[in-house]
Amino acid sequence: MTDDNHRGGDGGGHERVPGRQRRRFPGISSRAYEHPADRSALVALRKLTGFDTVFKALSGLLPERSLRLLFLSDSVRVSDAQFAHLNTMLRDACYILDLEKVPPMYVNQDPNPNAMCIGLDEPIIVVTTGLVELLDEEEMRAVVGHEVGHALSGHSVYRTILLFLTNLALKVAWIPLGNVAIMAIVTALREWFRKSELSADRAGLLVGQDLRASMRGLMKLAGGNHLHEMNVDAFLEQAEEYEAGGDLRDSVLKILNVLPRTHPFATVRAAELKKWADSPAAHGFQRIMDGHYPRRDEDGDTSVSDSFRQSASSYADDVRHSKDPLMKLVNDIAGGAGDLGGKLRGKFTGQGGGKPGGGTPGDAGAPGDAGAPGNGGAPDDDPR
């Protein structure tokens, strides 16, 4: 549990930490909350041709010192003297997840609600004024825990490279073929980062330990500060409708919509987090809350191949239970469904599947996991 040394009095009109105690997770490994798709996407990223070469080159070239100086000179560093309530939240989050070194945190003047964890040698956390003004205390606590989760998982290194390569791609777009190679790596990085956001959302829930607050925060990122006009259950219904709705054309449009983004859609994130919170699995939220989780000192004994098999199993399970038309078609094909041509024609024209009696039924009646990879909105960064 958090102790009084990690609590504080009122600071600047804000409650610095809540009146209730939170469970602490000594020695917790990031494997406890990492989404299987996060790990498998990172494995695929590292296997991408040219990635190792680019990564090694950029590690020595990225202006990390310049980045730190920029935030130091043009943002407000969180401390006991500035944004004290955020500083207490940050220390509390690091204490709960047992992150020994508290990363520096800055508040940057920007009306767009956003937060990020970047840095190569050491992570730094940046939140915008738009986010601070949008969220209440408990919602903000989940965001801080989300970013500390990124730091514990080592995500900041790849995030920094993604930011750099995205800017570089814009500058070399006029060079024949030069942009193609960079965008291949940027696309793979974005695919991984979308999955890493699902992991960090779980870390935020472990820190805040308040599912409703996490849900409220995601709703606000989608619809603004109008909670009296929004409903969590209706918001989750949107995620189910998004996954199950339409035909194969809509499935393709979902993929195209998500490609430019670094973050999943807010409704999808909410549904994924709710599913994890309710899961009885070994690495589900409640099992971790009960003290059953992998420790950092066991990380050296873990097998990469085992992690990849777990990720593949998770993907297969998502396909089996998904209501998305494309995922159901993939499941039908894997199950030996007949009349593939007729099925494709029917799916794309919205007229049903092929010849009568052709094909085995998919898992249309299975409960829908809102786990289809998704993302949302603007091509630039979403909050958190």
Side-chain angles (χ1 to χ4, degrees), residues 34-369:
E34 284 173 345
H35 195 283
D38 173 5
R39 292 195 294 272
S40 62
L42 191 55
V43 169
L45 172 66
R46 288 167 174 163
K47 289 185 175 181
L48 185 69
T49 301
F51 177 75
D52 283 343
T53 302
V54 172
F55 180 79
K56 290 175 183 177
L58 289 178
S59 296
L61 294 176
L62 285 178
E64 184 175 16
R65 292 179 67 87
S66 174
L67 196 64
R68 291 176 180 276
L69 287 172
L70 178 63
F71 286 116
L72 188 63
S73 63
D74 205 31
S75 301
V76 175
R77 184 166 60 190
V78 171
S79 66
D80 284 333
Q82 301 184 116
F83 289 99
H85 71 292
L86 293 180
N87 189 48
T88 304
M89 268 189 223
L90 175 62
R91 290 188 289 109
D92 194 49
C94 292
Y95 181 68
I96 289 173
L97 294 181
D98 202 12
L99 185 65
E100 292 184 5
K101 188 169 185 179
V102 179
M105 183 175 179
Y106 294 89
V107 176
N108 184 45
Q109 170 59 30
D110 186 342
N112 296 311
N114 197 4
M116 59 182 175
C117 179
I118 55 176
L120 296 178
D121 296 327
E122 295 181 0
I124 61 174
I125 295 172
V126 181
V127 297
T128 65
T129 51
L131 188 66
V132 174
E133 292 162 6
L134 176 66
L135 303 182
D136 69 23
E137 203 76 15
E138 294 303 301
E139 296 156 7
M140 192 68 199
R141 190 177 309 282
V143 171
V144 173
H146 175 110
E147 299 305 328
V148 170
H150 276 313
L152 182 59
S153 290
H155 291 162
S156 62
V157 174
Y158 298 100
R159 177 69 172 126
T160 306
I161 291 176
L162 174 58
L163 285 173
F164 179 81
L165 286 178
T166 302
N167 292 330
L168 181 62
L170 296 176
K171 294 177 182 178
V172 302
W174 59 274
I175 302 176
L177 299 181
N179 191 43
V180 175
I182 293 174
M183 286 309 299
I185 295 177
V186 167
T187 300
L189 274 166
R190 282 176 176 159
E191 170 63 16
W192 161 74
F193 197 79
R194 286 192 292 269
K195 303 303 186 293
S196 76
E197 286 299 292
L198 302 178
S199 297
D201 283 344
R202 295 176 175 186
L205 180 57
L206 288 174
V207 167
Q209 298 173 22
D210 185 344
L211 180 61
R212 302 295 287 190
S214 293
M215 292 293 172
R216 291 198 311 268
L218 289 169
M219 283 199 306
K220 283 185 176 181
L221 296 180
N225 194 13
H226 304 282
L227 278 179
H228 62 289
E229 299 284 355
M230 294 186 282
N231 178 276
V232 169
D233 294 330
F235 191 63
L236 292 172
E237 287 175 6
Q238 287 182 229
E240 186 169 352
E241 181 180 343
Y242 168 78
E243 183 190 6
D247 53 26
L248 282 182
R249 292 167 297 184
D250 296 297
S251 296
V252 173
L253 289 174
K254 292 175 190 176
I255 295 172
L256 294 177
N257 284 340
V258 83
L259 284 178
R261 299 186 51 81
T262 56
H263 288 62
F265 291 122
T267 56
V268 174
R269 290 172 65 182
E272 278 286 335
L273 189 61
K274 179 70 163 57
K275 183 173 70 174
W276 184 67
D278 294 341
S279 172
H283 288 177
F285 173 68
Q286 193 54 54
R287 287 281 294 170
I288 297 175
M289 288 294 292
D290 291 339
H292 306 290
Y293 55 84
R295 264 65 173 180
R296 238 167 281 165
D297 56 14
E298 302 167 349
D299 285 351
D301 300 328
T302 59
S303 165
V304 175
S305 59
D306 286 346
S307 295
F308 193 77
R309 279 194 294 270
Q310 291 172 10
S311 301
S313 175
S314 174
Y315 266 122
D317 190 59
D318 283 346
V319 170
R320 279 195 302 273
H321 296 101
S322 176
K323 294 181 179 179
D324 180 82
L326 180 58
M327 292 299 102
K328 287 170 66 177
L329 179 62
V330 169
N331 191 50
D332 284 353
I333 295 170
D339 189 21
L340 177 58
K343 237 181 194 324
L344 282 171
R345 284 193 299 273
K347 290 286 188 180
F348 272 103
T349 58
Q351 296 176 354
K355 299 176 182 177
T360 56
D363 287 347
D369 294 345

Side-chain angles (χ1 to χ4, degrees), residues 12-33:
H14 291 273
E15 181 198 2
R16 295 180 64 180
V17 290
R20 62 186 178 84
Q21 290 185 322
R22 286 182 168 79
R23 183 168 296 281
R24 183 176 181 247
F25 309 104
I28 189 171
S29 167
S30 60
R31 292 181 292 117
Y33 59 81

